Amino acid sequence: MSSPSRTALISSYPYTLTYRTRWSDNDMYAHLNNSIYSHLFDSIINTYLITHCGLSPSTSPRIFLAVATTSTFFAPISFPAVLELGLRVEKLGRSSITWEVAVFEEGREEVRCVGRFVHVLVERETGRTVQGGMGEELRNGVERLVVREREGSGAEKEQLVGKKAKL
């Protein structure tokens, strides 16, 4: 796992969502409360899983559980900012996904925060890790967001085209 980069660009994230901050997102220091970032990460990831991977959180026999999250903050954000959230997959296992979410303020190139979110696919009934791995529709949807190293080019990343949505 590479370290979050303050030089990340929104164009390096194949799926994006727009989020309009609310007055209640600010904390007493007049910037977004740390808990809001977790909300943003969870929202973009689950929006993608529902709209592009066939996941139905309330009825699917297999669900994702978050097993680890981290956030690296580079600069504060305050209401009434409009945010651009970027999503990509850093690592895809048989039954796990390491997501990377970047938070940008609309109209600014500098990344404000980069978060990592690790999901494990489990059987809803037992809570145990899925043994057979992800189904085809789910895996195909998630694979669209995997950013792979290009052979022989080191840090240069293969870019995938995503869709923009509003949250």
Side-chain angles (χ1 to χ4, degrees), residues 40-51:
L40 297 173
F41 302 161
D42 200 33
S43 293
I44 189 172
I45 291 166
N46 282 295
T47 297
Y48 186 81
L49 287 169
I50 292 165
T51 60

Side-chain angles (χ1 to χ4, degrees), residues 83-154:
L83 308 180
E84 292 292 328
L85 310 175
L87 179 66
R88 64 185 177 192
V89 172
E90 187 174 279
K91 182 179 177 188
L92 178 59
R94 288 191 55 196
S95 60
S96 66
I97 305 168
T98 301
W99 304 93
E100 183 178 293
V101 180
V103 180
F104 296 83
E105 190 171 344
E106 190 175 66
R108 296 179 168 223
E109 291 185 19
E110 307 85 20
V111 66
R112 302 306 211 191
C113 176
V114 175
R116 293 223 167 63
F117 202 98
V118 181
H119 264 154
V120 173
L121 188 63
V122 300
E123 299 290 348
R124 178 188 297 277
E125 293 293 317
T126 65
R128 295 190 187 273
T129 303
V130 171
Q131 296 303 311
M134 295 175 209
E136 186 176 347
E137 180 182 13
L138 178 57
R139 178 165 287 283
N140 288 342
V142 173
E143 283 179 341
R144 286 184 226 135
L145 298 188
V146 174
V147 178
R148 296 173 182 87
E149 297 271 347
R150 288 188 180 171
E151 288 185 32
S153 63

